């Protein structure tokens, strides 16, 4: 068993969020089968781009005036889903979505994937670039 403390996991600033890689590829605890990370979405990280990726479960640890918009395409995210502490979201594979918040708001989440490849937009782009 590996014991991790979130405040000891390095923070990786990315567009739209700060990521902490807990379990998985290139993470605090290596796994070739699953990925668990923490993300904080707030004004400090700037706006997030709509995106889609592998099937994902997100557990909202805490939130203030936060929501997810989802829809059939990057330019058509017509459904707004408010979130609060304790909300669980299950995104289908390649489902378009974006995390957003109001003035002074934020979303703090744990993100869980049943795989280690093709899970985050930045990772997908890096893997494409490495293969080229």
């Amino acid at each position: 068993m590996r014991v991790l403390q979130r405040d000891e996991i390095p923070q990786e600033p990315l567009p739209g969020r700060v990521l902490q890689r807990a379990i998985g590829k290139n993470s605090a605890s290596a796994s070739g089968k699953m990925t668990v990370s923490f993300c904080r979405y707030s004004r400090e990280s700037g706006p997030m781009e709509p995106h889609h990726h592998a099937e994902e479960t997100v557990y909202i640890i805490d939130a203030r005036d936060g929501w997810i918009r989802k829809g059939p395409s990057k330019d058509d995210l017509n459904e707004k889903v408010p979130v609060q502490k304790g909300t669980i979201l299950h995104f289908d594979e390649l489902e378009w979505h974006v995390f957003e918040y109001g003035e002074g708001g934020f979303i703090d989440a744990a993100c869980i994937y049943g795989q280690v490849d093709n899970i985050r937009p930045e990772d997908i782009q890096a893997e494409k670039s490495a293969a080229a």
Side-chain angles (χ1 to χ4, degrees):
M1 177 173 74
R2 292 174 207 102
V3 178
L4 306 172
Q5 297 296 327
R6 181 177 180 185
D7 61 357
E8 296 174 1
I9 299 172
Q11 295 185 2
E12 183 179 342
L14 293 171
R17 68 204 182 285
V18 174
L19 171 69
Q20 292 176 284
R21 298 173 189 256
I23 300 167
K25 191 183 338 183
N26 302 319
S27 297
S29 183
S31 175
K33 295 184 178 182
M34 64 182 298
T35 301
V36 177
S37 59
F38 297 102
C39 288
R40 181 159 178 99
Y41 307 87
S42 68
R43 183 177 183 182
E44 290 77 22
S45 299
M48 172 175 248
E49 283 290 313
H51 62 283
H52 64 122
H53 46 67
E55 179 181 4
E56 174 186 29
T57 298
V58 175
Y59 173 74
I60 306 300
I61 298 166
D62 200 5
R64 181 174 56 235
D65 194 19
W67 61 87
I68 285 57
R69 282 190 304 120
K70 67 183 196 93
S73 69
K74 181 178 183 174
D75 299 319
D76 185 12
L77 301 174
N78 54 10
E79 188 175 344
K80 183 177 177 180
V81 179
V83 297
Q84 61 186 4
K85 180 179 180 176
T87 300
I88 299 172
L89 306 164
H90 183 193
F91 292 100
D92 290 332
E93 184 174 16
L94 301 179
E95 181 175 10
W96 283 98
H97 60 282
V98 66
F99 293 79
E100 298 177 324
Y101 41 84
E103 184 67 33
F106 67 90
I107 299 172
D108 193 29
C111 305
I112 305 161
Y113 302 88
Q115 63 194 68
V116 296
D117 294 313
N118 297 316
I119 58 169
R120 297 184 190 96
E122 298 83 10
D123 295 340
I124 294 167
Q125 188 61 35
E127 288 175 24
K128 285 181 183 176
S129 296

